[in-house]
């Protein structure tokens, strides 16, 4: 019963959002009949579509770079535990997890301003500064996800490959990387979601002409939410649900295949 209440609390608001995206009334809290006109007006809203494209491009780029940096950092933390400054490295890598967004955004703003005055780059804040800021805090989340998977791996397979003559680099790409692929997918999706959802940090490091979707929606909320926002949110929910379901299917098949291989070896 408690589980049903929790799920209802989470998903009923999303269901209401989808229903009211087909509301003909301009007042988002008053039902005026079924209509799909807001989806048509969404296509003509150039500012909203530009913010969506900017947020999606930044999220994809941030998640991709965060996966690379987070995987390297987690590999160093898990496999190279004994080196000078290892504890400091682990702490600095995961520090953005517990750092308030306001502090992170302000620190990055001061960093970009100082770099602009010292070396002349970046001259203006915009897409690049938002991307760098998102990579900074997304890498911490990816590191935690991938590190958990690396600690669970059976290193005997990697050691057997090296005994057969494979060098460490080949072992990483041929053995380790496929085994941690589910965590890479999960880390990428998590980083993509965090970047797409970020408002506070982006507000500090953004400049003119670089308004992301959360920033645009937040500015509209203060004046009243327009119905086309509901239509856009419905489309985003559908896309995210499809991507999440497809990723879950792929990871489930991969996990079943891995279990079957382990049982076959035994």
């Amino acid at each position: 019963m408690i589980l049903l209440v929790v799920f209802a609390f989470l998903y009923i608001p999303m269901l209401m959002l989808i229903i009211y995206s087909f509301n003909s009334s301009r007042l988002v809290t008053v039902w005026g009949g079924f209509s799909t006109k807001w989806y048509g007006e969404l296509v003509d809203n150039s500012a909203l579509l530009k913010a969506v494209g900017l947020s999606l491009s930044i999220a994809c780029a941030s998640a991709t770079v965060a996966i690379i940096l987070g995987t390297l950092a987690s590999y160093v933390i898990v496999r190279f535990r004994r080196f000078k400054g290892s504890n400091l490295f682990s702490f600095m890598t995961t520090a953005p997890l517990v750092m308030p967004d306001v502090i992170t955004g302000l620190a990055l703003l001061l960093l970009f301003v100082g770099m602009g005055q010292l070396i002349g780059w970046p001259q203006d804040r915009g897409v690049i500064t938002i991307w760098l800021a998102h990579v900074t805090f997304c890498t911490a989340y990816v590191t935690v996800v991938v590190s958990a998977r690396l600690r669970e791996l059976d290193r005997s397979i990697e050691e057997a490959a090296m005994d057969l003559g494979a060098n460490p680099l080949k072992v990483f790409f041929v053995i380790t990387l496929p085994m941690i692929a589910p965590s890479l997918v999960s880390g990428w999706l998590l980083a993509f979601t965090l970047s797409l959802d970020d408002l506070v940090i982006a507000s500090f490091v953004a400049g003119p002409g670089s308004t992301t979707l959360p920033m645009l929606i937040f500015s509209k909320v203060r004046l009243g939410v327009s119905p086309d926002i509901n239509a856009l949110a419905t489309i985003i929910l559908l896309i995210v649900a499809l991507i999440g379901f497809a990723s879950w299917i792929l990871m489930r098949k991969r996990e079943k295949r891995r279990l079957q291989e382990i049982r076959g070896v035994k």
Side-chain angles (χ1 to χ4, degrees):
M1 187 62 183
I2 296 176
L3 186 62
L4 290 175
V5 171
V6 172
F7 279 126
F9 184 78
L10 288 174
Y11 290 105
I12 287 180
M14 297 182 186
L15 180 61
M16 295 298 296
L17 175 67
I18 296 173
I19 293 174
Y20 273 89
S21 68
F22 298 98
N23 183 15
S24 62
S25 173
R26 182 168 291 275
L27 300 176
V28 295
T29 57
V30 178
W31 181 258
F34 182 86
S35 175
T36 59
K37 65 177 182 179
W38 303 117
Y39 288 89
E41 291 194 9
L42 179 63
V43 179
D44 299 329
N45 194 331
S46 58
L48 190 58
L49 294 179
K50 181 181 178 181
V52 172
L54 179 63
S55 294
L56 290 176
S57 59
I58 292 176
C60 289
S62 301
T64 302
V65 177
I67 276 291
I68 298 173
L69 297 179
T71 302
L72 294 176
S74 61
Y75 194 84
V76 170
I77 292 172
V78 175
R79 298 298 171 84
F80 300 95
R81 298 179 180 178
R82 297 180 181 179
F83 64 91
K84 189 175 181 180
S86 59
N87 292 331
L88 179 62
F89 178 78
S90 300
F91 171 75
M92 296 298 292
T93 304
T94 57
L97 291 172
V98 295
M99 193 72 67
D101 289 346
V102 174
I103 303 300
T104 302
L106 179 59
L108 290 170
L109 171 62
L110 295 176
L111 173 65
F112 292 140
V113 171
M115 290 175 59
Q117 295 175 350
L118 184 63
I119 63 176
W121 184 88
Q123 296 181 354
D124 297 313
R125 295 186 300 276
V127 178
I128 297 298
T129 54
I130 297 175
W131 171 66
L132 291 174
H134 285 186
V135 169
T136 300
F137 73 86
C138 287
T139 300
Y141 290 90
V142 173
T143 301
V144 172
V145 174
V146 178
S147 297
R149 179 60 176 167
L150 278 174
R151 290 188 177 95
E152 297 176 354
L153 288 185
D154 184 6
R155 298 193 62 180
S156 61
I157 302 177
E158 297 173 319
E159 294 172 354
M162 286 188 287
D163 290 340
L164 293 175
N167 57 60
L169 187 62
K170 185 175 181 180
V171 169
F172 176 78
F173 283 104
V174 176
I175 305 297
T176 307
L177 207 58
M179 295 177 68
I180 64 174
S183 65
L184 297 181
V185 175
S186 300
W188 192 92
L189 291 174
L190 177 61
F192 178 84
T193 304
L194 291 172
S195 176
L196 189 64
D197 185 58
D198 175 65
L199 170 65
V200 178
I201 296 178
S203 299
F204 277 95
V205 299
S210 58
T211 303
T212 61
L213 180 61
M215 295 170 60
L216 181 63
I217 293 177
F218 183 73
S219 63
K220 286 179 175 294
V221 166
R222 291 181 294 181
L223 301 176
V225 180
S226 58
D228 53 354
I229 296 294
N230 290 342
L232 176 62
T234 300
I235 295 174
I236 293 176
L237 280 175
L238 179 62
I239 295 175
V240 171
L242 292 175
I243 294 176
F245 183 73
S247 302
W248 176 75
I249 292 294
L250 292 175
M251 288 189 291
R252 185 180 180 184
K253 289 182 177 179
R254 184 179 292 272
E255 189 66 20
K256 285 185 177 180
R257 191 181 304 115
R258 187 180 69 86
L259 293 175
Q260 291 174 357
E261 292 174 354
I262 292 176
R263 291 171 183 172
V265 173
K266 292 182 179 179

